[in-house]
Amino acid sequence: MSTKTAATFYYDIVSPFAYIYVKQRQRLEGKLDIKPVPILLGGLLRAAENKGPGEVAAKRPHTYQFCVWQAEKLGIPFRFPEHHPFMTVAAQRLLIEKNADWTMVERAFDYVWVEGKDPNLSWPEFCTYLGLSADTPKPESPEVKAQLIANTNQAKAHGAFGVPALIINQHCFWGVDTIDWVLDYLARPGMFDEASYVYAGNVPNGLI
């Protein structure tokens, strides 16, 4: 029987930070059994009253250039697609329809962030890249559509407000820079019960 702790990883292939996280997931796999769950980032951002960095003019170039630097620093292949952000509804639905394992999930990320392509502009090639038939249609079944919505709503219910988001024991660790925090938490599982963490999670808002 596995002694690994169950974890849920919410992702959307449009996120460069989710890509960089996926490329480092081996740091966690010795301790966690991580289930990848595709969501729609735009839907999650709207539900959480949040905006992606690509939607904020002053933040956009800084964030994108930081991604280039971070990938370079980590030795991770990285190439921005021809435009960004772009719609990922069809691709995320496909990953649900095919019950994508980590191999397929990583291939989907690689198509965007290594090949530098938007799946919508080359759907047959994207499908082939995932190991599927080139004539695989874009998913349109009500069940798959509903599942993507349900996954996105579930992410919000679990405390996610963006991606990448890793959920462990009802705690949400958001962002590629929280991998070290996750490792510390796993070594110190009572962390969030400590007084300083309890207070930090309930600090009164001085602007209300």
Side-chain angles (χ1 to χ4, degrees):
M1 178 177 287
S2 174
T3 58
K4 294 182 181 181
T5 301
T8 301
F9 180 77
Y10 292 113
Y11 72 91
D12 187 321
I13 61 171
V14 77
S15 168
F17 292 113
Y19 162 74
I20 292 171
Y21 196 114
V22 165
K23 289 298 185 183
Q24 297 181 85
R25 72 183 189 280
Q26 73 281 354
R27 296 181 59 198
L28 300 172
E29 288 180 327
K31 297 178 180 294
L32 296 176
D33 182 11
I34 308 172
K35 178 184 179 182
V37 176
I39 68 165
L40 192 61
L41 178 57
L44 178 60
L45 291 175
R46 287 190 295 274
E49 299 180 346
N50 195 10
K51 282 187 175 183
E55 300 177 83
V56 182
K59 196 174 185 179
R60 180 183 172 96
H62 170 85
T63 303
Y64 287 8
Q65 290 170 347
F66 176 76
C67 289
V68 172
W69 173 84
Q70 189 172 42
E72 184 180 82
K73 193 78 172 176
L74 293 168
I76 295 171
F78 187 86
R79 175 184 176 186
F80 257 97
E82 51 261 69
H83 49 226
H84 190 273
F86 55 86
M87 296 296 293
T88 57
V89 176
Q92 296 296 97
R93 287 177 181 168
L94 182 65
L95 293 167
I96 287 174
E97 182 179 73
K98 301 305 178 183
N99 194 26
D101 60 11
W102 272 115
T103 298
M104 183 177 285
V105 169
E106 187 162 359
R107 290 290 288 175
F109 272 107
D110 284 354
Y111 190 77
V112 176
W113 298 106
V114 177
E115 303 300 327
K117 296 183 177 181
D118 173 354
N120 299 298
L121 302 181
S122 48
W123 185 258
E125 183 183 77
F126 175 62
C127 293
T128 301
Y129 200 82
L130 299 188
L132 304 172
S133 172
D135 61 2
T136 300
K138 293 182 178 180
E140 293 292 344
S141 77
E143 294 79 11
V144 170
K145 290 181 179 180
Q147 189 61 58
L148 183 57
I149 293 170
N151 287 357
T152 303
N153 289 338
Q154 176 181 278
K156 181 178 184 295
H158 283 169
F161 48 87
V163 295
L166 188 74
I167 312 299
I168 311 170
N169 298 331
Q170 300 182 325
H171 296 294
C172 177
F173 295 87
W174 168 77
V176 68
D177 53 349
T178 57
I179 292 177
D180 286 330
W181 190 10
V182 170
L183 290 169
D184 283 351
Y185 165 70
L186 292 172
R188 198 168 111 220
M191 175 185 289
F192 291 100
D193 294 324
E194 296 171 12
S196 57
Y197 284 85
V198 173
Y199 178 74
N202 296 279
V203 176
N205 188 339
L207 299 178
I208 295 178

